[in-house]
Amino acid sequence: MVCLVSGALAKQNSLNIGDTIRFASGYMDNQSIKAGISEDEYVVELEVVGIYEHNHPITPDSQDYQYTWPYENLDNMILLPGTTMNHMMADINQK
């Protein structure tokens, strides 16, 4: 499975094209625990096939900084093709 990461995320984590990252595709809840599903079963490996730049940086001195959650910051986004998402969801639904 493949992904794109932002230039800021790549720099912060020393990522290059061809590197692999581990990505949590779900979260543990009581039903998962009762079903005997481990946290490792929710982790997928993604190959970085591209690094993108965006034009809306959010820095501590920007106007929107105090109102932006970390998951809304475009620097933290990992882009996945729909086929990767479908594969991840199918894996979760089989568990």
Side-chain angles (χ1 to χ4, degrees):
M1 291 185 273
V2 298
C3 69
L4 300 176
V5 297
S6 72
L9 187 65
K11 183 178 178 183
Q12 180 75 24
N13 293 282
S14 301
L15 294 172
N16 295 299
I17 293 173
D19 287 349
T20 300
I21 59 175
R22 291 174 53 83
F23 182 81
S25 62
Y27 64 93
M28 293 298 292
D29 59 12
N30 287 337
Q31 286 183 319
S32 299
I33 294 168
K34 288 179 186 175
I37 298 172
S38 71
E39 285 186 35
D40 286 342
E41 293 181 80
Y42 283 110
V43 175
V44 296
E45 290 191 354
L46 303 171
E47 179 186 356
V48 177
V49 295
I51 298 173
Y52 71 91
E53 298 294 335
H54 61 83
N55 59 2
H56 189 68
I58 297 182
T59 60
D61 60 336
S62 65
Q63 182 178 1
D64 297 332
Y65 182 76
Q66 67 180 351
Y67 304 109
T68 304
W69 292 94
Y71 62 83
E72 295 176 315
N73 187 332
L74 297 177
D75 286 346
N76 296 329
M77 284 199 177
I78 299 173
L79 303 177
L80 308 172
T83 52
T84 297
M85 290 299 297
N86 289 341
H87 182 73
M88 288 169 39
M89 294 308 297
D91 284 351
I92 290 171
N93 289 332
Q94 290 175 359
K95 295 176 182 173

PDB file of all heavy atoms in Angstrom, residues 23-27 41-44 85 88-89 91-92 95:
ATOM      1  N   PHE A  23       1.259   2.734  10.004  1.00  0.00           N
ATOM      2  CA  PHE A  23       0.078   3.585  10.124  1.00  0.00           C
ATOM      3  C   PHE A  23      -1.020   2.806  10.837  1.00  0.00           C
ATOM      4  O   PHE A  23      -1.335   1.678  10.445  1.00  0.00           O
ATOM      5  CB  PHE A  23      -0.381   3.981   8.712  1.00  0.00           C
ATOM      6  CG  PHE A  23      -1.557   4.897   8.653  1.00  0.00           C
ATOM      7  CD1 PHE A  23      -1.416   6.253   8.835  1.00  0.00           C
ATOM      8  CD2 PHE A  23      -2.820   4.386   8.403  1.00  0.00           C
ATOM      9  CE1 PHE A  23      -2.502   7.103   8.764  1.00  0.00           C
ATOM     10  CE2 PHE A  23      -3.906   5.228   8.331  1.00  0.00           C
ATOM     11  CZ  PHE A  23      -3.749   6.583   8.521  1.00  0.00           C
ATOM     12  N   ALA A  24      -1.584   3.380  11.892  1.00  0.00           N
ATOM     13  CA  ALA A  24      -2.690   2.741  12.606  1.00  0.00           C
ATOM     14  C   ALA A  24      -3.976   2.979  11.827  1.00  0.00           C
ATOM     15  O   ALA A  24      -4.397   4.117  11.645  1.00  0.00           O
ATOM     16  CB  ALA A  24      -2.810   3.296  14.017  1.00  0.00           C
ATOM     17  N   SER A  25      -4.581   1.909  11.345  1.00  0.00           N
ATOM     18  CA  SER A  25      -5.767   2.029  10.504  1.00  0.00           C
ATOM     19  C   SER A  25      -7.065   1.989  11.295  1.00  0.00           C
ATOM     20  O   SER A  25      -8.135   2.072  10.729  1.00  0.00           O
ATOM     21  CB  SER A  25      -5.781   0.917   9.458  1.00  0.00           C
ATOM     22  OG  SER A  25      -5.834  -0.341  10.097  1.00  0.00           O
ATOM     23  N   GLY A  26      -6.978   1.857  12.570  1.00  0.00           N
ATOM     24  CA  GLY A  26      -8.183   1.818  13.407  1.00  0.00           C
ATOM     25  C   GLY A  26      -7.807   2.102  14.845  1.00  0.00           C
ATOM     26  O   GLY A  26      -6.678   2.466  15.138  1.00  0.00           O
ATOM     27  N   TYR A  27      -8.738   1.919  15.716  1.00  0.00           N
ATOM     28  CA  TYR A  27      -8.454   2.125  17.131  1.00  0.00           C
ATOM     29  C   TYR A  27      -9.054   0.971  17.917  1.00  0.00           C
ATOM     30  O   TYR A  27      -9.998   0.318  17.486  1.00  0.00           O
ATOM     31  CB  TYR A  27      -9.023   3.459  17.625  1.00  0.00           C
ATOM     32  CG  TYR A  27     -10.531   3.531  17.557  1.00  0.00           C
ATOM     33  CD1 TYR A  27     -11.320   3.183  18.644  1.00  0.00           C
ATOM     34  CD2 TYR A  27     -11.161   3.929  16.373  1.00  0.00           C
ATOM     35  CE1 TYR A  27     -12.699   3.231  18.554  1.00  0.00           C
ATOM     36  CE2 TYR A  27     -12.542   3.977  16.291  1.00  0.00           C
ATOM     37  CZ  TYR A  27     -13.299   3.627  17.389  1.00  0.00           C
ATOM     38  OH  TYR A  27     -14.666   3.673  17.305  1.00  0.00           O
ATOM     39  N   GLU A  41      -2.789  -5.701  14.823  1.00  0.00           N
ATOM     40  CA  GLU A  41      -3.637  -6.050  13.689  1.00  0.00           C
ATOM     41  C   GLU A  41      -4.238  -4.816  13.014  1.00  0.00           C
ATOM     42  O   GLU A  41      -4.737  -4.913  11.899  1.00  0.00           O
ATOM     43  CB  GLU A  41      -4.731  -7.019  14.117  1.00  0.00           C
ATOM     44  CG  GLU A  41      -4.171  -8.377  14.528  1.00  0.00           C
ATOM     45  CD  GLU A  41      -5.245  -9.334  14.935  1.00  0.00           C
ATOM     46  OE1 GLU A  41      -5.880  -9.925  14.038  1.00  0.00           O
ATOM     47  OE2 GLU A  41      -5.455  -9.495  16.152  1.00  0.00           O
ATOM     48  N   TYR A  42      -4.200  -3.684  13.685  1.00  0.00           N
ATOM     49  CA  TYR A  42      -4.700  -2.436  13.110  1.00  0.00           C
ATOM     50  C   TYR A  42      -3.611  -1.627  12.417  1.00  0.00           C
ATOM     51  O   TYR A  42      -3.865  -0.577  11.869  1.00  0.00           O
ATOM     52  CB  TYR A  42      -5.354  -1.554  14.172  1.00  0.00           C
ATOM     53  CG  TYR A  42      -6.737  -1.988  14.566  1.00  0.00           C
ATOM     54  CD1 TYR A  42      -6.984  -2.539  15.810  1.00  0.00           C
ATOM     55  CD2 TYR A  42      -7.802  -1.839  13.687  1.00  0.00           C
ATOM     56  CE1 TYR A  42      -8.262  -2.926  16.166  1.00  0.00           C
ATOM     57  CE2 TYR A  42      -9.073  -2.228  14.032  1.00  0.00           C
ATOM     58  CZ  TYR A  42      -9.299  -2.769  15.269  1.00  0.00           C
ATOM     59  OH  TYR A  42     -10.560  -3.155  15.622  1.00  0.00           O
ATOM     60  N   VAL A  43      -2.386  -2.106  12.459  1.00  0.00           N
ATOM     61  CA  VAL A  43      -1.261  -1.371  11.892  1.00  0.00           C
ATOM     62  C   VAL A  43      -0.968  -1.878  10.484  1.00  0.00           C
ATOM     63  O   VAL A  43      -0.895  -3.084  10.246  1.00  0.00           O
ATOM     64  CB  VAL A  43      -0.010  -1.510  12.791  1.00  0.00           C
ATOM     65  CG1 VAL A  43       1.193  -0.850  12.148  1.00  0.00           C
ATOM     66  CG2 VAL A  43      -0.280  -0.906  14.162  1.00  0.00           C
ATOM     67  N   VAL A  44      -0.827  -0.945   9.552  1.00  0.00           N
ATOM     68  CA  VAL A  44      -0.455  -1.285   8.179  1.00  0.00           C
ATOM     69  C   VAL A  44       0.837  -0.545   7.839  1.00  0.00           C
ATOM     70  O   VAL A  44       1.158   0.479   8.434  1.00  0.00           O
ATOM     71  CB  VAL A  44      -1.559  -0.912   7.154  1.00  0.00           C
ATOM     72  CG1 VAL A  44      -2.816  -1.719   7.393  1.00  0.00           C
ATOM     73  CG2 VAL A  44      -1.866   0.566   7.187  1.00  0.00           C
ATOM     74  N   MET A  85      -7.437   2.748   1.089  1.00  0.00           N
ATOM     75  CA  MET A  85      -8.459   2.855   2.141  1.00  0.00           C
ATOM     76  C   MET A  85      -9.408   1.660   2.091  1.00  0.00           C
ATOM     77  O   MET A  85      -9.751   1.096   3.124  1.00  0.00           O
ATOM     78  CB  MET A  85      -9.240   4.167   1.997  1.00  0.00           C
ATOM     79  CG  MET A  85      -8.441   5.393   2.335  1.00  0.00           C
ATOM     80  SD  MET A  85      -7.853   5.408   4.046  1.00  0.00           S
ATOM     81  CE  MET A  85      -9.393   5.445   4.933  1.00  0.00           C
ATOM     82  N   MET A  88      -7.679  -1.347   3.552  1.00  0.00           N
ATOM     83  CA  MET A  88      -7.573  -1.255   5.008  1.00  0.00           C
ATOM     84  C   MET A  88      -8.925  -1.544   5.665  1.00  0.00           C
ATOM     85  O   MET A  88      -8.982  -2.263   6.662  1.00  0.00           O
ATOM     86  CB  MET A  88      -7.051   0.121   5.411  1.00  0.00           C
ATOM     87  CG  MET A  88      -5.592   0.323   5.085  1.00  0.00           C
ATOM     88  SD  MET A  88      -4.963   2.024   5.230  1.00  0.00           S
ATOM     89  CE  MET A  88      -5.757   2.645   6.670  1.00  0.00           C
ATOM     90  N   MET A  89      -9.991  -1.001   5.121  1.00  0.00           N
ATOM     91  CA  MET A  89     -11.323  -1.224   5.708  1.00  0.00           C
ATOM     92  C   MET A  89     -11.742  -2.688   5.568  1.00  0.00           C
ATOM     93  O   MET A  89     -12.340  -3.254   6.469  1.00  0.00           O
ATOM     94  CB  MET A  89     -12.353  -0.304   5.064  1.00  0.00           C
ATOM     95  CG  MET A  89     -12.117   1.168   5.351  1.00  0.00           C
ATOM     96  SD  MET A  89     -11.926   1.565   7.103  1.00  0.00           S
ATOM     97  CE  MET A  89     -13.505   1.111   7.756  1.00  0.00           C
ATOM     98  N   ASP A  91      -9.723  -5.240   5.552  1.00  0.00           N
ATOM     99  CA  ASP A  91      -8.948  -5.973   6.555  1.00  0.00           C
ATOM    100  C   ASP A  91      -9.580  -5.834   7.933  1.00  0.00           C
ATOM    101  O   ASP A  91      -9.685  -6.802   8.681  1.00  0.00           O
ATOM    102  CB  ASP A  91      -7.512  -5.470   6.614  1.00  0.00           C
ATOM    103  CG  ASP A  91      -6.662  -5.952   5.443  1.00  0.00           C
ATOM    104  OD1 ASP A  91      -7.144  -6.820   4.678  1.00  0.00           O
ATOM    105  OD2 ASP A  91      -5.528  -5.456   5.295  1.00  0.00           O
ATOM    106  N   ILE A  92     -10.022  -4.621   8.282  1.00  0.00           N
ATOM    107  CA  ILE A  92     -10.642  -4.398   9.585  1.00  0.00           C
ATOM    108  C   ILE A  92     -11.954  -5.164   9.701  1.00  0.00           C
ATOM    109  O   ILE A  92     -12.237  -5.802  10.704  1.00  0.00           O
ATOM    110  CB  ILE A  92     -10.861  -2.889   9.838  1.00  0.00           C
ATOM    111  CG1 ILE A  92      -9.516  -2.190  10.046  1.00  0.00           C
ATOM    112  CG2 ILE A  92     -11.774  -2.653  11.032  1.00  0.00           C
ATOM    113  CD1 ILE A  92      -9.605  -0.690  10.088  1.00  0.00           C
ATOM    114  N   LYS A  95     -11.805  -8.829  10.615  1.00  0.00           N
ATOM    115  CA  LYS A  95     -11.312  -9.173  11.966  1.00  0.00           C
ATOM    116  C   LYS A  95     -12.403  -9.244  12.987  1.00  0.00           C
ATOM    117  O   LYS A  95     -13.461  -8.925  12.940  1.00  0.00           O
ATOM    118  CB  LYS A  95     -10.241  -8.173  12.389  1.00  0.00           C
ATOM    119  CG  LYS A  95      -9.039  -8.271  11.505  1.00  0.00           C
ATOM    120  CD  LYS A  95      -8.020  -7.231  11.850  1.00  0.00           C
ATOM    121  CE  LYS A  95      -6.862  -7.392  10.871  1.00  0.00           C
ATOM    122  NZ  LYS A  95      -5.898  -6.391  10.954  1.00  0.00           N
TER     123      LYS A  95
END
